Amino acid sequence: MKRITAVFFLILFIASGCGVSKKVKNLTDTANQLLENINNIVLQVDAQVESGDLSEDVGNFIDDRLNNLAAQIESMLENAGGMLFDEVNGTIDNTFSNISMLLDQIKKGILDDSLPNLIDQISYQVQNNINLLSSSVEDIVVLTFGNTFILVDKTINGAVIIFALIFLAVGLIIFAIMLFRKKRKANFFRIAAYIFMLVYVGFFLAILMSSRWRGELIAGFDFAQKYEGIQLKPKITGVFPETFTMGKNDKIFLYGKYLNKIDTLKVVLKQGNLVKFTFPAKTLVAKTQSKIVIGNLSRQIWKLPTYIELQQRIPLQDRSLFRGVQYMQYSKEVEKNAYRLIPEAVTSAPIHALTPVSPPPSIAAASVAGMHLSGSLLRIKPGEVIAERNNIGHRIFNSATALKVNNILKSFYLNSFHLPEGDFAIEALENNEGVESEQFISILYPPPPVPKPDIFITGLRFSNQNYAIAKQDVTLDVQLGFSHPEEVKRGFRIRVNATPAITPMIINVPMGVIAAAQGNNRSVVTSRRFRLNQKGIYVFRAIADENNMIAEQNESNNEYQKSLQVRDYYYNVTVQYLTFVSLKNMDDGLYPEDEYRITIGTVVSHYSPWTIKYNKDGEPNRNYSINKTKTFERLHEGDQIFFSTTGYEADSGSKDGDDGMGHAGKTVKISSLINSFPSGSNSIEKSLILITSHYKIIGKYSVKRIIE
């Protein structure tokens, strides 16, 4: 048997020499610490997404990577008892060290808002380390019997099986040759040889057939790790938010370990041993290794009651209490003093969650009613918020009225939500076995309901006039009406388009415009400058709060439509030819004067040509009057005017014959004049000079634009 053991040790030694010998690392504590860090980071990411500081796409990307990482670590804990084989160069140590550094980078990115810029690089590195960890887990063979596990390197396990097969086969051949030859008598040595054969065959068959025997033997030579199995039980370690305002908050996040082990999930709220509320299955929207998400609460089961519902449910004789100025003041002060900081509180960083790179900004809570450091978050105690509401009521109403208003609101919300305010234990159940959170969750009713605002459009018009001019800059006035503008808490947008089609316009309505409407519930906003390309009737359509950012009493009256007229200009052009000037003496010798024979032509779109025959005897460099005028009416943008002249000096008899004096022309397009009109004026005047080689014609033309 000692020889067999020596042979087996030789097998392991050979396997070790082939590079498969690795040391066993117990990484249970490190793995659990990484899971804690992952949980805390996931909580922070969810808080940033809920508060709007981080986009949902980036948040989901991070959650997906971290959940994959947590799943690999959990697999290592569950399947390998938290132990892995590590190379001599410390590959596993390096992997866990890299994962830890990457988690620190994510923490830092959350604190200094650099995470969106780093996410692609960090995500790639996290995935690489997940792959390394996964391949390390795949290199393990776990031999199981009962609650005992033996961790064996896959290569060593395979090498032992192969060598066992070889030695078994060789041994059987040798035994067959030596012991089963004919004519051998049984004696002591032969019987002993048979016994040894049986032991030999049984030993290697046990290695091949029994994982327990093989595992014990490998572990006996310190080439495997033996451990007792542990059961990984689900555990809830945190709740976000710790203060939940019904009708306003929409999700509850439960964080912990091994939560995906819960097969049949039911989540309840408890006070003492009494179940006060069971979340419907439709609200359990997600479950991972580290997180359970309860969602759609404000839209499905805890929808915010409206002011109209309050008026409908309270007794007729009490409705006047909820209509006056005092109630509006009461509601505003309750929200301001008791609820205003709740969103900031529930999205603040848990004190234990991150290792800050720099000290975080301090949050002064002493002056806020009900704000206390409780565990990891700024926590609002329900009892103190209720007391603050009562104090505000007594200050605004008389004592009897304050008590009545508070009691009516309490009854109204209890009937709406079917749950009282207070502190609750939150528990996840699997087949009635509870996994209770270490933290309480505080449930608060929302502030007293007030009338929702209403936004509507009362008119559309072109600024300063009843019509627009085609191809001219214009602005559009949108006349707004409001109901309870004081309840509009943010600016909104108006989208404007038209038929015939225009480029859609967005008009932003800032809080200043809304505040100005609180006097008479009216306001006006003006669009940017734009142009309309053609005359006719345009049907303008405007939608206030087009992306529904404002919760209104009536969402169906935000659209307004009106037909507006677009006119066009026509142009009257008056042409006046003033003087003729000869530039050269055309006759030589004894002849005293030149005989000018000049033709002046004016061709205007849609008109017959206007021709002037100008005959004059004269000398060079003298101004001779022409004084001819004509008006061309109702020209449009596409029309044009062509001015031209040609002439000669006429000679006859003994003179030197006719002499050409040249020609000239000029084209003026009406479209080129459109932008020439001075501001506030509808007329312009332009000079006109036609110069040939021997003379020039001087004149002018005036253009007057008239709205059709």
Side-chain angles (χ1 to χ4, degrees):
M1 187 67 185
K2 289 182 179 181
R3 291 182 180 180
I4 296 175
T5 304
V7 169
F8 184 74
F9 182 80
L10 178 63
I11 294 170
L12 295 177
F13 180 77
I14 293 171
S16 174
C18 294
V20 299
S21 179
K22 304 175 184 179
K23 56 184 177 179
V24 177
K25 302 280 294 185
N26 190 333
L27 298 164
T28 305
D29 292 340
T30 304
N32 280 314
Q33 183 60 50
L34 287 178
L35 288 177
E36 290 287 346
N37 285 339
I38 290 170
N39 284 346
N40 289 331
I41 291 173
V42 170
L43 187 153
Q44 283 302 301
V45 169
D46 289 339
Q48 295 242 332
V49 171
E50 289 295 298
S51 65
D53 294 331
L54 190 68
S55 74
E56 189 170 356
D57 288 341
V58 173
N60 290 340
F61 197 38
I62 299 169
D63 276 354
D64 180 62
R65 283 289 187 266
L66 294 183
N67 282 333
N68 288 342
L69 177 59
Q72 286 296 333
I73 295 173
E74 179 190 336
S75 174
M76 183 195 73
L77 289 171
E78 184 173 16
N79 299 325
M83 287 171 279
L84 291 177
F85 287 99
D86 198 4
E87 302 282 358
V88 176
N89 61 6
T91 301
I92 293 301
D93 278 343
N94 292 336
T95 300
F96 275 79
S97 177
N98 290 338
I99 291 171
S100 182
M101 286 190 294
L102 288 170
L103 295 180
D104 286 340
Q105 278 187 272
I106 296 175
K107 293 176 186 179
K108 179 179 180 297
I110 293 172
L111 287 172
D112 61 16
D113 298 327
S114 63
L115 185 58
N117 298 326
L118 299 173
I119 186 59
D120 287 336
Q121 175 186 353
I122 292 177
S123 173
Y124 174 76
Q125 294 176 6
V126 169
Q127 187 59 52
N128 280 345
N129 284 280
I130 290 174
N131 295 340
L132 284 172
L133 186 59
S134 176
S135 64
S136 297
V137 173
E138 290 174 358
D139 285 341
I140 294 171
V141 174
V142 180
L143 306 177
T144 307
F145 38 93
N147 199 40
T148 301
F149 299 83
I150 296 180
L151 198 71
V152 183
D153 183 83
K154 184 184 292 185
T155 308
I156 291 180
N157 184 66
V160 168
I161 292 174
I162 291 171
F163 278 103
L165 280 171
I166 293 172
F167 276 89
L168 179 61
V170 171
L172 288 175
I173 293 171
I174 293 172
F175 288 134
I177 295 172
M178 295 179 60
L179 298 179
F180 294 98
R181 288 185 298 179
K182 295 181 179 180
K183 300 179 181 179
R184 288 277 184 114
K185 294 182 178 180
N187 55 38
F188 173 78
F189 293 103
R190 192 173 182 81
I191 293 171
Y194 279 116
I195 295 173
F196 176 78
M197 180 191 70
L198 293 175
V199 171
Y200 182 93
V201 172
F203 175 79
F204 284 105
L205 282 176
I207 292 175
L208 292 172
M209 305 300 295
S210 172
S211 59
R212 178 171 185 173
W213 174 247
R214 184 169 66 254
E216 292 280 7
L217 201 58
I218 297 173
F221 287 97
D222 205 23
F223 285 94
Q225 181 69 37
K226 184 178 179 181
Y227 63 94
E228 295 298 316
I230 56 172
Q231 183 179 4
L232 301 180
K233 292 185 177 181
K235 181 181 180 182
I236 298 175
T237 58
V239 179
F240 173 84
E242 286 188 84
T243 302
F244 184 94
T245 303
M246 303 175 83
K248 290 197 169 184
N249 294 114
D250 187 60
K251 294 177 184 154
I252 297 175
F253 299 86
L254 305 181
Y255 299 93
K257 298 178 182 178
Y258 321 121
L259 299 180
N260 55 338
K261 301 294 181 186
I262 304 176
D263 293 326
T264 306
L265 177 62
K266 183 167 67 173
V267 180
V268 299
L269 295 175
K270 297 175 68 175
Q271 286 183 331
N273 293 322
L274 296 178
V275 174
K276 292 291 187 177
F277 186 83
T278 300
F279 290 96
K282 62 184 178 182
T283 64
L284 305 178
V285 297
K287 180 183 69 173
T288 66
Q289 184 273 343
S290 59
K291 180 170 64 176
I292 295 171
V293 182
I294 307 166
N296 302 318
L297 299 178
S298 64
R299 287 171 287 180
Q300 292 190 3
I301 62 170
W302 289 336
K303 187 177 179 181
L304 188 66
T306 65
Y307 177 79
I308 294 175
E309 290 173 325
L310 173 65
Q311 287 287 330
Q312 291 172 343
R313 293 185 196 176
I314 59 180
L316 186 62
Q317 66 272 17
D318 295 327
R319 292 180 184 176
S320 60
L321 294 175
F322 297 85
R323 290 176 180 162
V325 175
Q326 285 183 312
Y327 174 73
M328 300 301 174
Q329 181 185 356
Y330 166 71
S331 178
K332 286 183 180 179
E333 289 201 23
V334 166
E335 181 167 6
K336 178 180 179 181
N337 295 325
Y339 290 87
R340 182 61 57 86
L341 288 183
I342 289 178
E344 296 179 14
V346 300
T347 56
S348 298
I351 295 169
H352 67 272
L354 298 177
T355 303
V357 177
S358 58
S362 61
I363 302 176
S367 61
V368 182
M371 301 289 289
H372 296 274
L373 282 172
S374 173
S376 60
L377 295 174
L378 279 172
R379 187 181 184 85
I380 298 182
K381 291 185 176 181
E384 297 190 17
V385 174
I386 294 169
E388 181 66 16
R389 288 201 304 249
N390 292 336
N391 291 337
I392 294 171
H394 284 286
R395 189 172 68 250
I396 294 176
F397 305 106
N398 60 51
S399 297
T401 302
L403 181 62
K404 191 170 190 178
V405 167
N406 283 328
N407 286 338
I408 289 174
L409 288 172
K410 180 179 178 181
S411 175
F412 170 67
Y413 280 136
L414 184 60
N415 290 329
S416 298
F417 297 128
H418 308 291
L419 188 70
E421 292 180 293
D423 289 326
F424 294 85
I426 188 165
E427 189 173 75
L429 298 176
E430 180 183 20
N431 298 325
N432 297 321
E433 182 178 347
V435 182
E436 189 169 329
S437 168
E438 297 174 354
Q439 289 177 257
F440 284 100
I441 184 170
S442 297
I443 303 292
L444 285 173
Y445 289 153
V450 294
K452 286 184 179 180
D454 197 19
I455 304 168
F456 46 92
I457 299 174
T458 60
L460 292 172
R461 68 182 184 189
F462 293 120
S463 304
N464 303 321
Q465 56 193 21
N466 294 324
Y467 53 84
I469 304 298
K471 298 184 176 65
Q472 299 292 310
D473 286 346
V474 69
T475 56
L476 187 71
D477 288 343
V478 182
Q479 300 163 321
L480 292 170
F482 293 88
S483 175
H484 299 287
E486 68 278 1
E487 296 303 322
V488 180
K489 305 301 183 184
R490 58 178 297 167
F492 58 91
R493 306 194 312 179
I494 301 172
R495 176 178 287 272
V496 179
N497 52 31
T499 304
I502 64 171
T503 301
M505 294 185 294
I506 297 295
I507 304 174
N508 291 309
V509 183
M511 285 302 299
V513 171
I514 299 167
Q518 294 183 19
N520 61 359
N521 294 332
R522 293 287 185 269
S523 192
V524 177
V525 290
T526 302
S527 74
R528 59 171 172 80
R529 290 184 175 275
F530 64 101
R531 291 187 176 189
L532 301 167
N533 293 325
Q534 62 190 56
K535 66 179 182 179
I537 300 298
Y538 279 72
V539 180
F540 282 85
R541 178 171 171 261
I543 305 174
D545 189 26
E546 54 100 16
N547 50 359
N548 289 324
M549 299 300 294
I550 311 296
E552 301 178 61
Q553 292 180 29
N554 184 358
E555 297 285 359
S556 65
N557 63 350
N558 288 1
E559 186 174 325
Y560 185 85
Q561 185 171 295
K562 187 175 182 180
S563 297
L564 297 176
Q565 186 178 24
V566 179
R567 296 182 177 181
D568 202 354
Y569 284 120
Y570 68 84
Y571 301 86
N572 291 346
V573 180
T574 299
V575 180
Q576 186 176 10
Y577 294 102
L578 299 174
T579 57
F580 164 84
V581 179
S582 175
L583 302 177
K584 183 179 180 182
N585 188 357
M586 302 298 295
D587 279 340
D588 297 328
L590 303 175
Y591 304 106
E593 291 184 333
D594 295 333
E595 297 168 304
Y596 304 122
R597 303 294 181 262
I598 307 301
T599 301
I600 304 170
T602 306
V603 179
V604 180
S605 299
H606 314 299
Y607 280 84
S608 299
W610 175 37
T611 303
I612 301 172
K613 296 292 186 178
Y614 181 74
N615 300 326
K616 183 68 178 176
D617 294 344
E619 293 296 323
N621 300 318
R622 294 182 183 180
N623 292 329
Y624 296 106
S625 175
I626 300 175
N627 199 22
K628 296 289 185 180
T629 302
K630 186 170 183 177
T631 298
F632 303 90
E633 297 182 340
R634 303 191 71 84
L635 302 182
H636 292 86
E637 183 179 348
D639 296 337
Q640 64 182 22
I641 307 169
F642 178 65
F643 304 100
S644 65
T645 182
T646 185
Y648 63 93
E649 193 274 334
D651 286 325
S652 61
S654 61
K655 298 181 180 181
D656 57 359
D658 296 341
D659 298 313
M661 297 182 72
H663 59 87
K666 180 180 181 179
T667 300
V668 175
K669 295 182 178 181
I670 298 299
S671 59
S672 68
L673 303 173
I674 289 176
N675 295 323
S676 300
F677 291 89
S679 177
S681 175
N682 288 316
S683 63
I684 55 173
E685 186 174 278
K686 299 281 188 179
S687 62
L688 173 63
I689 301 176
L690 300 175
I691 302 176
T692 72
S693 55
H694 297 304
Y695 70 93
K696 62 181 177 181
I697 303 294
I698 300 173
K700 63 181 180 180
Y701 60 95
S702 59
V703 183
K704 185 177 182 179
R705 64 182 182 185
I706 301 168
I707 298 174
E708 288 186 319

